[in-house]
Structure formats: structure tokens, C-alpha cells
């Protein structure tokens, strides 16, 4: 799509998580209807959708690769207990499982900026309402999967730095893992962002080449106040950006 161009796409009422491809040519979405959970994609300008999924399946949201050639998603087959990760071409070809096994859910796939790797969460089923998870990284074809960090907050998503070297995640809100953490994608030792150990923080990379400074929204559950901080680099103290009265 070019500047000023507009596309209107009509989706079923049972659809969710619609996401346009990076070039705006395709629209992918999940749906859950009488056919079960499905992942669908269609030309953004209109045309029949291509859907995969069978009765009893559950399907998560689509995640486009940076070049728009693949859609990653998580799927639980009718006979399975847990979700696994898959990828597929926008035209419905090339379906490939990226993870296997039924020991835990694998979800929240996030493509690296250059599209060669996928970070994802492995979430357990015990330990309270939000059990701690693990952060893993694999090649885009599912090879060379390796664990990057334990004790990650159960519902968080990993966020790649713009240079693809580091992942930002939120530590679990119980025990010593609270705070915002930076984990090297190659599996080096994770490091907590200074000043976030009290919990209640989230983190966002800036769009600079290396992702610094970090923006750190903070929510105080006692006062119900929100504050924005930023940090200029690894090991640097937090600086106040704004206090919000809502």
C-alpha cells in the first residue's frame, strides 16, 4: 500500500487478532467458530480467505515475520493438552511445526528484527494463577532451540532490541525475579534493569539502533498511581520522565 491508500477488509464476527503483513498486502487473523479454532489469511484488497484448523483445535494470534513471508502462531490440536508453535505461508502453504511435546504451553512468538530467530515463552501449568515461565529462542525453522531465562512472568511477551542482540522481559512477580530483565539472545547471563527490583515495572525499547534508552512504565498497586521512568544504559539509574494522575 502507498501513502493515502485505504483498504477495507470484512472479517467474520468470530475473528480476532487481525494483523496486516508488513507490506500491507495480506491480512491474517484467528477465528473460533463451528469449524473450531482456525488461522486464516486473505489478500488485503479482498478475496477468499485460506484457513487451517479442525474442530476442537484452538489457535492463537498471528505474528508476521519482518519480510512478510511467514506467519508464526500457536496452536493446540483437539487431541493435545498444550499449545505448540507453528509457521505457515500467507497463501496457506508450507505449514510447519516449530515445537513439539506436551509438557507445557509454547506461545508468544516474537520474530527477531532480521527474521532469522523467534523468541517464545514456555509456560507451566502449576504454581498459582500466573505460574512462572521460561524464555526460549530458536531459529526461524525451529532448529537450535535454547533456553534464555527462567522465572519469567507468566503472561509477558519478549521484546527484541532493535539490533537483535537482547531480549527484554518482565520477571515473575514473586520471589527474587521481580523487575525488568535484559537477556542476551545467545544465552548469556540475564541482567535486571537497575531500580526495577520492587516489581510493578514494564519495559519498552526506544527505536534507536541499540534500543537505548529504555522506557519503563511503573504502576504502584498501593496508591494506584502510574509513573514513567527511563534508563540510559545498562547499570544506569532510573530517571523520572513523568508522573501520571490516572
Amino acid at each position: 500500500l502507498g501513502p493515502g491508500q485505504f483498504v477495507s477488509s470484512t472479517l467474520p464476527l468470530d475473528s480476532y487478532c487481525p494483523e496486516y503483513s508488513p507490506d500491507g498486502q495480506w491480512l491474517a487473523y484467528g477465528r473460533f467458530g463451528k469449524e473450531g479454532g482456525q488461522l486464516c489469511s486473505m489478500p488485503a484488497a479482498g478475496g477468499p480467505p485460506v484457513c487451517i484448523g479442525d474442530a476442537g483445535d484452538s489457535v492463537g494470534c498471528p505474528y508476521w515475520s519482518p519480510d512478510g513471508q511467514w506467519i508464526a502462531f500457536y496452536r493446540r490440536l483437539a487431541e493435545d493438552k498444550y499449545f505448540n508453535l507453528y509457521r505457515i505461508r500467507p497463501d496457506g502453504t508450507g505449514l510447519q511445526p516449530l515445537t513439539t511435546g506436551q509438557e507445557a504451553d509454547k506461545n508468544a512468538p516474537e520474530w527477531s528484527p532480521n527474521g532469522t530467530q523467534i523468541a517464545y515463552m514456555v509456560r507451566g501449568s502449576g504454581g498459582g494463577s500466573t505460574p512462572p515461565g521460561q524464555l526460549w529462542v530458536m531459529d526461524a525453522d525451529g532448529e537450535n532451540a535454547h533456553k534464555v531465562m527462567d522465572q519469567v512472568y507468566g503472561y509477558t511477551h519478549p521484546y527484541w532490541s532493535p539490533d537483535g542482540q537482547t531480549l527484554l522481559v518482565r520477571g515473575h512477580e514473586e520471589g527474587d525475579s521481580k523487575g525488568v530483565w535484559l537477556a542476551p539472545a545467545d544465552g548469556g547471563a540475564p541482567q535486571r534493569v537497575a531500580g526495577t527490583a520492587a516489581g510493578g515495572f514494564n519495559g519498552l525499547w526506544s527505536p534507536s539502533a541499540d534500543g537505548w534508552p529504555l522506557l519503563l512504565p511503573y504502576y504502584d498497586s498501593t496508591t494506584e498511581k502510574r509513573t514513567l521512568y527511563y534508563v540510559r544504559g545498562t547499570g544506569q539509574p532510573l530517571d523520572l520522565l513523568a508522573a501520571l494522575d490516572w
Side-chain angles (χ1 to χ4, degrees):
L1 298 178
Q5 290 183 289
F6 176 78
V7 170
S8 176
S9 301
T10 302
L11 300 179
L13 291 176
D14 56 12
S15 63
Y16 52 89
C17 295
E19 292 287 343
Y20 283 103
S21 60
D23 63 4
Q25 299 301 308
W26 289 86
L27 177 64
Y29 57 94
R31 65 174 302 191
F32 190 84
K34 62 182 180 180
E35 299 87 359
Q38 295 183 317
L39 182 85
C40 301
S41 58
M42 59 183 287
V50 176
C51 299
I52 64 158
D54 298 313
D57 289 0
S58 296
V59 174
C61 298
Y63 297 84
W64 287 95
S65 62
D67 62 5
Q69 297 300 304
W70 292 97
I71 304 167
F73 64 102
Y74 50 100
R75 178 189 189 192
R76 185 181 64 211
L77 302 178
E79 64 270 20
D80 290 343
K81 182 179 180 180
Y82 293 108
F83 285 90
N84 272 294
L85 296 173
Y86 296 77
R87 70 174 183 174
I88 193 171
R89 298 284 189 184
D91 63 1
T93 63
L95 177 64
Q96 177 189 0
L98 299 176
T99 65
T100 58
Q102 285 295 300
E103 74 285 354
D105 285 325
K106 293 98 170 174
N107 50 28
E110 293 288 344
W111 294 86
S112 63
N114 64 8
T116 62
Q117 293 180 297
I118 298 174
Y120 61 100
M121 293 293 301
V122 176
R123 309 180 199 268
S125 59
S129 59
T130 56
Q134 298 174 342
L135 174 63
W136 285 65
V137 171
M138 63 182 168
D139 293 345
D141 61 1
E143 296 295 320
N144 300 314
H146 59 278
K147 184 172 65 175
V148 172
M149 182 176 169
D150 283 309
Q151 296 295 314
V152 178
Y153 187 68
Y155 295 146
T156 196
H157 275 244
Y159 297 98
W160 289 89
S161 60
D163 62 9
Q165 300 299 308
T166 308
L167 287 149
L168 183 152
V169 291
R170 181 180 171 190
H172 199 250
E173 289 296 281
E174 299 177 5
D176 295 332
S177 63
K178 289 182 181 180
V180 174
W181 291 78
L182 303 178
D186 63 4
Q191 182 175 353
R192 180 163 43 206
V193 176
T196 66
F201 284 90
N202 284 305
L204 298 168
W205 296 103
S206 74
S208 64
D210 61 1
W212 295 95
L214 296 181
L215 181 66
L216 297 161
Y218 171 71
Y219 175 69
D220 188 323
S221 59
T222 302
T223 63
E224 298 186 347
K225 298 292 185 181
R226 291 172 170 82
T227 310
L228 287 176
Y229 294 91
Y230 68 97
V231 61
R232 299 177 185 273
T234 304
Q236 297 296 309
L238 297 183
D239 288 315
L240 177 65
L241 184 61
L244 307 175
D245 293 325
W246 51 268

